[in-house]
Amino acid sequence: MKNKAEKTNVMRILDRSKIPYRVQTYPHGDEAVDGAEVARLLGQDPETVYKTLVTRGASGQYYVFDIPVEAELDLKKAARAVGEKSVAMLHVKELLPLTGYVRGGCSPVGMKKAFFTTFHARAEELEEIAVSAGKIGVQVILSPGDLAALVGGQFADVVKDGGPQ
């Protein structure tokens, strides 16, 4: 069921938790690949490929949001979903020290510390979604319900209207 990608920490956590998943790899250089381009490369519906974004709330707490690759996070909706006055995107240079992941390889699973995670509401209706497996060029495809249960996440409408839902 899994192809020949080298095991990442994300895959080891999923294996340990007995959560079924598939692995897909895609060609890449050293830089992050645009998620919509990844979906095209792999022939996936971009609405099922999710990117992981990290934010900081007005309180100083960090929050993770997983949304479709072609959608844009609505910071007001995101703040409401986590009970904050406001949230702001984390600067790229802060990502690796905080999460252990680089831009383009950030996964909601296996961060250095567990942060409250919200998946866009549409994910709850899908059979499976793809998220980064923790490194550029590798993704895991699995049930959004299993994924949310693993990270203690919730589902909420957090994307800007007018884009992919």
Side-chain angles (χ1 to χ4, degrees):
M1 190 141 134
K2 299 164 186 72
N3 74 11
K4 295 192 185 346
E6 122 191 5
K7 285 265 183 192
T8 65
N9 193 39
V10 170
M11 292 177 217
R12 286 189 280 277
I13 291 168
L14 292 171
D15 288 344
R16 245 190 338 266
S17 302
K18 298 188 177 3
I19 294 176
Y21 64 94
R22 296 192 324 275
V23 175
Q24 276 201 293
T25 59
Y26 56 89
H28 63 90
D30 291 336
E31 291 298 307
V33 180
D34 174 72
E37 181 60 23
V38 171
R40 278 189 288 283
L41 282 170
L42 295 173
Q44 296 170 316
D45 178 349
E47 290 190 27
T48 66
V49 180
Y50 277 55
K51 59 187 171 185
T52 302
L53 306 172
V54 184
T55 64
R56 181 184 295 113
S59 68
Q61 292 285 100
Y62 295 99
Y63 300 95
V64 174
F65 293 92
D66 273 81
I67 65 172
V69 293
E70 291 184 336
E72 197 178 333
L73 185 65
D74 183 314
L75 295 174
K76 287 187 167 120
K77 287 181 180 180
R80 272 195 304 274
V82 296
E84 283 278 357
K85 194 157 100 174
S86 64
V87 295
M89 292 299 300
L90 195 68
H91 290 287
V92 174
K93 67 180 193 282
E94 298 174 86
L95 191 63
L96 180 60
L98 181 70
T99 66
Y101 292 128
V102 298
R103 180 176 177 268
C106 191
S107 178
V109 178
M111 290 189 184
K112 285 182 175 181
K113 195 175 162 200
F115 299 112
F116 189 72
T117 303
T118 301
F119 297 89
H120 181 53
R122 172 88 174 93
E124 203 169 16
E125 302 163 17
L126 299 172
E127 222 170 279
E128 55 186 22
I129 61 172
V131 297
S132 174
K135 75 185 246 187
I136 297 172
V138 187
Q139 58 180 204
V140 289
I141 301 166
L142 70 166
S143 154
D146 288 348
L147 182 56
L150 176 66
V151 301
Q154 69 172 358
F155 294 93
D157 175 13
V158 293
V159 301
K160 288 191 175 176
D161 294 330
Q165 296 296 307

